[in-house]
Amino acid sequence: MIIPSSTYRLQISKTFTLEDVKQIIPYLKKLGISTIYAAPIFTARPGSTHGYDVTDPHTVNPEVGTLAQLEEIATLLKEQGMSWVQDIVPNHMAFDTNNEWLMDVMEKGKRSRYCKFFDINWYHPEPRLKDKLMTPFLGAPIDEVIESGDLSVSLLDDRLVLMVYDNPYPLSLHSYHTVFTNAVEYEADSTPNDFVQELAGLSKSVKLDNPEAIDKFDVVKRKLAEAPAGFKDTIEQLYSDDISLLKALLKEQNFRLTYWRSTEERINYRRFFTVNDLICLQMEDKEVFDHYHQFIKSLYEKGCIHGVRVDHVDGLNDPTIYMERLRDLLGDKAYIIVEKILEWEEKVPRQWPVQGTSGYGFLASVSHLFTEPRGKDKFQKIYDKYILDHVDFKALIFEKKYFIFKNRMAGELDNLMHLLLALNIMPAESFNSDENVKEALAVFLVCFPVYRIYSNEFPLPNEDAAIIDKTFTKAMAHAPHLSETFADLRQVFSGQAGDTPEVNEKKLQFFRRCQQYTGPLEAKGVEDTSFYIYNRLISHNEVGDTPEVFGIDAATFHERMQRRFKNTPLGINATATHDTKRGEDARLRINALSEIPETWEQHIQVWMKENETFKTEIGESLAPTKNDEYFIYQTILGVLDMDGKMEGNFVERVQEYMLKVVREAKENSSWAEPNEAYEQAVSEFVEAILGDNRVFLTSFLPIFRQAAKLGTIYSLGQLLIKITAPGIPDIYQGTEFWDLSMVDPDNRRPVDYQHRMGVLDQIIKDGQNDLPQLLSHLMTEHRMGVLDQIIKDGQNDLPQLLSHLMTDYANGNIKMFVMQRALSARLSSIDLFQSGDYLPLEVVGDYKENILAYARSFNHDWCIIVVPKLLGNKLSEGEWPVGMKFWGETKIVLPKGAPKKWVNVFTDDGIAVEDHLFVEQALSTFPVAILKSSTI
């Protein structure tokens, strides 16, 4: 297995292509990266910025490059000793006219070879959906769309199509005869009647129950490709002139066009979350699996990719079977990780043959390490006093998940009810009140405490059964009036004595189907709704994290890392991804507020009073609400440039972000029903406080600088932990410098690699020659390119140079320096970091709570990592946590057998110890440390 030493996540798209990837390979190599970790590169919807809307998994997206270019990159990577991990998307594809598999289904219906590929219920009890694929992309009810002239029949190449706005949906083959017959009867001098009559005769035998005729339909299409001039105009004019003919033709299609919001009430295909234009696959079918993965297998066999990341594994019907098939397909040497969001104490299923997850759990652990647990009650009081009075987060989660199920996924809930009835696995008397059963099922699934469970046997094993029991207990607390129905429903999910194998198989079928919706409920109800409402400390409103936890101590962090070392030592260590709500360094800066709640409260009280004048009166309320206002203040503190300047389009970026925030929250606006007046008020408020109003900024900047300084120290610590703790460190594109981005699309802005290459080349060049000179370069402020100022004579004293470097930390060079040095140290001792024991180190002394220390050891190779934390008010303005003056006699107790001689990776200082290491030895001139064992 080619195990990455580190990965670098690239969002490949038409704005950053495979040719661009090729150009930065030398840079990534110099940075210390071993593996490119690529967003989906398969053909996707035109203009896709992320690649998860795949239209053809068998080709490289022509917007990003070619297979030949990918093969060329593979050769370059091999020469550099590097590899490629590819993100794949087995759960869904784009519901798009460029998806030929799906268009084949729309054209041929259940006779299409791809019919079984998509998760469509062709037998939906709604009569208008029976034998039809719901196609919910109309901007209004269909009669209004027809009346407006936005539906028309046309000819596209050799295919008759229904133009829906600008989207060509193929007409069902069996309706071609209708079109040609109507055309024969329509007087149009521009088209010879004998041509139309010939088409009508050729298409007459094409019926849904005549597969042989469908197979022979190529002759009709060849004829259409030779259509004489004017034929297309005739068809378009025919159905434009007579709307009744158009309506009749619509009834003959294998799909039913509907208003996009109708999916809130009914739907007959499974979609990704609540996204209508992403249709899910039946990947549990072996034929579907084999066909879909052909190109992926080919890329692996050619050496173009060396591993995969599986997107949204929780959406699959049976993730365990899928992972086993994927492992069989790629073999034991493929590096495989899954996108899996684990709850705080949840583990990756033991039966999965994978290396681990994409790293959200690590992100949460390290973020809480840099949050002061003792600040929880104080922050709760601030939130209750000024913002929302006693909002219970668990109650909010239930409310919003329930809202999503009943108001955005009611069609999915109905489908589960239809399946439950069809399987006949619940006592008949329970259905005396269908509404009670549906309500009980909804409450039960809303109460599910994890994304899903993965058993493929029934009755469920004890561990999974315990989760079911816990869920029913919670559900009955929310709806005690449904206790009898819950008791009946429990038999469905828990089984009962005497159930036959056939009954158990049906219950397992229903259980798996339900589990495909618990994840979307969690994602939409919590991450995409509650996380924008419960704003006590927004840095923990993050994918994989939870505001229910408010900081952890060193002992808890060590326990989590030891568990990680035991269970998934090769999983990804992520701190920023394309899905995170805010940048990795913005998150830690906001975390720093947890240490200064009194100062924060004083400022909040002043700001809310002074800035009320910038609010807009809407009805009887002022906009933005206090809760949204509180979110705005935390956001600005997190994402403002290190120097406190609002460069470029900063204000506009915050305004665009807040538009998304208020719509996701669904409290004062939403994507479904935008409240333009409220959104405008929020935008004007942001403009007012960040524009020419110096009053707010004068008050804001002092606390900003305090949080930014603490956040800087913690960001360096987070980076160092990510690179040295159990797991594979991942660097998200562009985060070599400070990552102060907001949620997508803000975190997908173009990266200036030319600038980064210049800085890195200077770092490496000077680092090889003279470390003091390197540090001099790092301390020099720059914005535009390669550093060009050399520190003059008399500045080669290392402590002084480090002091200057830390004074001018705003440019982000210090982060790249730590990254490059730590990644290089990791590469030079790969066994140590991939297989070495994780050893928590005891810290004693006055500052013991302000240091995290651990060792990694493998045979005779050792390293010690020392990181400051929770410095709060201990740090004076302009001060750094270095040296004896700051750390005093605080020391780290070394384990028996530890080496006596060490070298600091960042300063090249040699250190000799006995049974303990003074913190000031490790952090004499630099705020974080890796000490490598030395024989010198």
Side-chain angles (χ1 to χ4, degrees):
M1 183 180 294
I2 299 178
I3 301 170
S5 172
S6 58
T7 61
Y8 189 93
R9 174 70 181 201
L10 287 173
Q11 295 300 116
I12 300 173
S13 68
K14 69 175 184 178
T15 59
F16 189 82
T17 66
L18 291 178
E19 182 61 31
D20 296 314
V21 173
K22 186 172 71 172
Q23 298 304 316
I24 68 168
I25 289 174
Y27 161 74
L28 296 179
K29 177 69 174 179
K30 291 177 184 178
L31 187 62
I33 299 296
S34 75
T35 303
I36 290 173
Y37 171 24
I41 59 170
F42 311 102
T43 300
R45 182 183 285 117
S48 175
T49 60
H50 49 78
Y52 291 97
D53 44 0
V54 175
T55 56
D56 182 2
H58 289 171
T59 56
V60 173
N61 189 345
E63 290 188 348
V64 308
T66 65
L67 178 57
Q69 286 178 307
L70 187 62
E71 291 171 343
E72 183 181 356
I73 288 173
T75 300
L76 293 174
L77 292 177
K78 186 175 182 180
E79 291 172 356
Q80 296 290 337
M82 299 174 69
S83 59
W84 183 292
V85 170
Q86 181 58 57
D87 204 341
I88 63 174
V89 194
N91 178 69
H92 54 267
M93 295 179 70
F95 199 139
D96 188 89
T97 55
N98 292 281
N99 183 343
E100 280 300 324
W101 295 1
L102 187 60
M103 294 306 99
D104 193 77
V105 173
M106 298 181 83
E107 192 172 60
K108 300 174 184 174
K110 290 187 291 185
R111 293 295 182 183
S112 168
R113 70 159 296 192
Y114 298 107
C115 175
K116 65 187 295 185
F117 281 50
F118 299 99
D119 202 341
I120 303 167
N121 180 5
W122 295 99
Y123 306 99
H124 196 277
E126 165 65 55
R128 292 174 296 178
L129 291 178
K130 188 175 185 302
D131 294 327
K132 296 182 183 294
L133 169 60
M134 187 176 185
T135 307
F137 301 114
L138 299 182
I142 191 164
D143 287 342
E144 294 181 24
V145 177
I146 292 174
E147 194 66 33
S148 67
D150 288 320
L151 292 186
S152 61
V153 180
S154 187
L155 175 67
L156 184 62
D157 299 325
D158 63 350
R159 176 183 266 175
L160 290 177
V161 296
L162 181 68
M163 296 299 300
V164 183
Y165 307 113
D166 295 326
N167 301 303
Y169 292 103
L171 291 188
S172 305
L173 293 186
H174 61 277
S175 69
Y176 274 47
H177 182 66
T178 299
V179 174
F180 300 145
T181 300
N182 289 338
V184 168
E185 298 169 356
Y186 184 74
E187 292 184 2
D189 297 335
S190 59
T191 304
N193 279 336
D194 56 349
F195 176 78
V196 181
Q197 288 173 349
E198 182 180 1
L199 287 174
L202 288 171
S203 61
K204 186 176 182 180
S205 64
V206 179
K207 301 294 181 183
L208 278 180
D209 57 356
N210 188 351
E212 291 184 2
I214 291 179
D215 293 339
K216 296 176 181 178
F217 205 77
D218 287 348
V219 65
V220 175
K221 289 197 168 185
R222 285 196 297 270
K223 193 74 177 176
L224 277 175
E226 302 168 356
F231 176 73
K232 177 179 178 181
D233 293 338
T234 298
I235 297 299
E236 291 176 350
Q237 193 65 44
L238 164 64
Y239 288 98
S240 175
D241 288 349
D242 193 337
I243 290 178
S244 64
L245 288 180
L246 178 59
K247 289 183 176 181
L249 185 65
L250 288 175
K251 293 179 180 180
E252 293 189 33
Q253 303 313 305
N254 294 316
F255 55 92
R256 178 175 176 79
L257 290 170
T258 65
Y259 178 37
W260 71 269
R261 293 200 63 176
S262 61
T263 56
E264 295 174 358
E265 300 176 358
R266 66 184 62 84
I267 191 169
N268 75 333
Y269 67 92
R270 188 168 61 88
R271 53 186 171 161
F272 173 73
F273 294 173
T274 56
V275 183
N276 287 349
D277 59 5
L278 293 176
I279 184 170
C280 292
L281 296 161
Q282 295 196 115
M283 198 55 68
E284 65 272 19
D285 187 293
K286 184 65 164 56
E287 180 185 342
V288 177
F289 176 92
D290 290 341
H291 187 74
Y292 184 92
H293 291 83
Q294 285 177 7
F295 188 53
I296 295 168
K297 181 181 181 182
S298 172
L299 292 178
Y300 182 76
E301 291 175 341
K302 289 180 178 179
C304 292
I305 65 174
H306 306 90
V308 295
R309 174 228 195 229
V310 180
D311 180 67
H312 193 46
V313 69
D314 281 344
L316 302 175
N317 181 271
D318 190 338
T320 301
I321 292 295
Y322 174 83
M323 296 313 310
E324 290 172 352
R325 287 175 177 169
L326 185 64
R327 176 59 71 191
D328 289 341
L329 181 79
L330 300 181
D332 292 337
K333 293 184 178 181
Y335 177 77
I336 301 176
I337 56 171
V338 295
E339 184 204 25
K340 167 61 190 163
I341 298 173
L342 300 167
E343 297 302 317
W344 188 248
E345 295 298 333
E346 191 181 2
K347 300 176 184 177
V348 176
R350 291 185 300 271
Q351 66 269 33
W352 287 4
V354 301
Q355 274 58 62
T357 75
S358 54
Y360 294 120
F362 176 85
L363 180 155
S365 295
V366 76
S367 182
H368 282 288
L369 176 69
F370 293 104
T371 302
E372 173 57 81
R374 289 168 294 193
K376 180 178 181 179
D377 291 342
K378 295 177 181 178
F379 255 76
Q380 189 64 56
K381 288 179 181 178
I382 294 171
Y383 197 51
D384 290 343
K385 181 177 181 181
Y386 296 101
I387 317 301
L388 294 177
D389 187 23
H390 301 295
V391 172
D392 180 77
F393 183 64
K394 290 183 178 180
L396 180 67
I397 287 177
F398 178 86
E399 175 190 338
K400 297 308 175 184
K401 288 176 69 174
Y402 185 83
F403 169 84
I404 293 294
F405 215 177
K406 301 289 281 192
N407 294 277
R408 297 290 186 268
M409 297 175 62
E412 281 86 352
L413 178 57
D414 278 346
N415 292 344
L416 289 175
M417 273 295 295
H418 299 322
L419 179 61
L420 182 61
L421 281 164
L423 291 174
N424 192 28
I425 52 176
M426 194 168 174
E429 57 269 21
S430 300
F431 291 97
N432 290 334
S433 174
D434 286 3
E435 284 305 310
N436 276 359
V437 177
K438 185 162 74 170
E439 180 68 7
L441 180 61
V443 172
F444 170 74
L445 294 178
V446 163
C447 288
F448 220 75
V450 293
Y451 263 66
R452 66 172 291 171
I453 51 182
Y454 303 95
S455 179
N456 50 15
E457 59 182 89
F458 212 88
L460 300 175
N462 291 339
E463 187 175 345
D464 291 343
I467 293 175
I468 295 296
D469 289 342
K470 178 180 178 181
T471 305
F472 272 114
T473 299
K474 185 177 176 181
M476 284 190 281
H478 279 284
H481 64 288
L482 297 173
S483 58
E484 292 184 6
T485 308
F486 281 132
D488 291 337
L489 199 58
R490 184 189 288 266
Q491 295 179 16
V492 174
F493 287 96
S494 301
Q496 57 183 337
D499 280 350
T500 66
E502 180 184 7
V503 169
N504 281 335
E505 185 60 34
K506 288 181 178 180
K507 288 184 176 181
L508 182 59
Q509 178 187 348
F510 184 69
F511 166 77
R512 284 176 176 165
R513 182 54 107 182
C514 287
Q515 293 297 282
Q516 289 180 285
Y517 294 113
T518 49
L521 283 175
E522 185 77 10
K524 299 306 297 180
V526 182
E527 294 167 22
D528 290 345
T529 304
S530 300
F531 276 4
Y532 292 99
I533 299 173
Y534 189 78
N535 301 329
R536 183 181 63 188
L537 188 67
I538 63 174
S539 48
H540 291 298
N541 295 2
E542 188 56 89
V543 180
D545 199 351
T546 172
E548 290 185 275
V549 179
F550 197 102
I552 58 176
D553 58 19
T556 302
F557 181 79
H558 287 316
E559 187 275 328
R560 293 182 71 81
M561 291 303 103
Q562 287 174 313
R563 183 197 307 171
R564 185 171 181 81
F565 176 70
K566 177 182 178 182
N567 296 328
T568 54
L570 301 179
I572 292 290
N573 291 351
T575 50
T577 77
H578 60 286
D579 280 332
T580 42
K581 304 296 185 185
R582 53 196 52 83
E584 62 187 24
D585 302 314
R587 187 183 312 120
L588 292 200
R589 190 191 285 175
I590 297 170
N591 280 354
L593 294 175
S594 68
E595 304 174 63
I596 51 174
E598 293 84 4
T599 304
W600 177 244
E601 180 178 8
Q602 292 169 7
H603 283 80
I604 287 297
Q605 193 172 11
V606 171
W607 298 339
M608 289 195 159
K609 181 178 180 180
E610 291 183 346
N611 292 339
E612 189 173 72
T613 185
F614 302 121
K615 293 190 173 187
T616 302
E617 188 172 336
I618 300 178
E620 299 180 359
S621 303
L622 292 177
T625 63
K626 288 185 177 181
N627 196 38
D628 286 340
E629 181 183 2
Y630 195 55
F631 193 106
I632 290 170
Y633 295 141
Q634 292 183 69
T635 295
I636 297 170
L637 183 135
V639 303
L640 188 61
D641 281 353
M642 282 288 185
D643 57 11
K645 298 178 181 178
M646 290 178 287
E647 302 287 354
N649 62 341
F650 177 78
V651 175
E652 182 181 345
R653 286 173 53 216
V654 175
Q655 289 174 318
E656 291 176 354
Y657 174 58
M658 287 307 302
L659 173 64
K660 182 167 186 173
V661 167
V662 299
R663 288 186 177 181
E664 294 284 19
K666 306 169 189 67
E667 294 272 282
N668 303 294
S669 188
S670 68
W671 297 107
E673 298 177 349
N675 183 338
E676 294 182 4
Y678 185 84
E679 293 171 359
Q680 182 65 26
V682 172
S683 182
E684 290 174 355
F685 181 83
V686 170
E687 175 72 35
I689 66 174
L690 295 180
D692 296 331
N693 170 35
R694 305 307 303 176
V695 176
F696 168 68
L697 292 177
T698 299
S699 172
F700 175 78
L701 288 176
I703 189 173
F704 161 78
R705 293 190 183 102
Q706 184 179 8
K709 182 61 173 295
L710 292 169
T712 295
I713 298 166
Y714 302 157
S715 288
L716 297 178
Q718 173 180 251
L719 174 60
L720 186 54
I721 293 169
K722 174 168 69 173
I723 294 172
T724 59
I728 308 299
D730 174 56
I731 310 300
Y732 182 72
Q733 62 177 32
T735 60
E736 301 92 312
F737 296 149
W738 302 126
D739 177 19
L740 305 174
S741 58
M742 293 167 275
V743 77
D744 72 283
D746 194 69
N747 62 5
R748 296 176 186 172
R749 287 172 293 157
V751 177
D752 185 351
Y753 282 108
Q754 289 300 316
H755 173 54
R756 284 162 173 77
M757 290 175 189
V759 174
L760 182 61
D761 283 345
Q762 195 70 52
I763 286 174
I764 294 174
K765 176 178 177 292
D766 291 341
Q768 291 172 341
N769 297 324
D770 182 34
L771 183 61
Q773 183 174 311
L774 161 66
L775 296 170
S776 299
H777 280 277
L778 289 174
M779 76 175 220
T780 305
E781 184 72 28
H782 73 284
R783 285 295 174 204
M784 297 304 296
V786 179
L787 298 177
D788 57 6
Q789 181 175 353
I790 305 298
I791 301 303
K792 303 300 182 180
D793 293 340
Q795 292 183 304
N796 282 333
D797 180 68
L798 182 55
Q800 183 180 341
L801 293 176
L802 286 171
S803 176
H804 289 166
L805 165 64
M806 292 181 286
T807 299
D808 293 323
Y809 60 85
N811 55 28
N813 291 2
I814 192 172
K815 184 180 180 185
M816 179 182 274
F817 168 69
V818 169
M819 183 181 295
Q820 193 274 334
R821 284 257 164 165
L823 288 174
S824 297
R826 183 181 176 92
L827 275 171
S828 67
S829 299
I830 194 66
D831 289 338
L832 171 65
F833 290 103
Q834 286 188 354
S835 305
D837 291 335
Y838 178 91
L839 306 172
L841 299 181
E842 180 186 3
V843 183
V844 296
D846 292 342
Y847 288 89
K848 64 181 181 180
E849 293 185 359
N850 306 113
I851 284 291
L852 177 84
Y854 58 88
R856 304 295 305 272
S857 70
F858 184 80
N859 294 333
H860 300 294
D861 199 5
W862 285 68
C863 74
I864 292 175
I865 287 77
V866 183
V867 170
K869 67 184 186 74
L870 305 184
L871 299 175
N873 291 314
K874 296 181 176 67
L875 205 63
S876 303
E877 186 174 352
E879 185 182 20
W880 287 80
V882 295
M884 170 67 80
K885 182 179 178 181
F886 190 90
W887 294 110
E889 297 294 319
T890 304
K891 60 186 178 182
I892 300 165
V893 179
L894 301 181
K896 292 182 179 180
K900 304 297 183 182
K901 294 181 179 180
W902 305 84
V903 174
N904 190 316
V905 167
F906 299 126
T907 67
D908 283 354
D909 288 343
I911 300 173
V913 300
E914 289 301 327
D915 59 350
H916 62 263
L917 167 72
F918 284 105
V919 172
E920 62 91 9
Q921 290 178 284
L923 306 181
S924 60
T925 54
F926 204 67
V928 294
I930 306 178
L931 307 182
K932 285 294 303 295
S933 55
S934 172
T935 57
I936 300 176

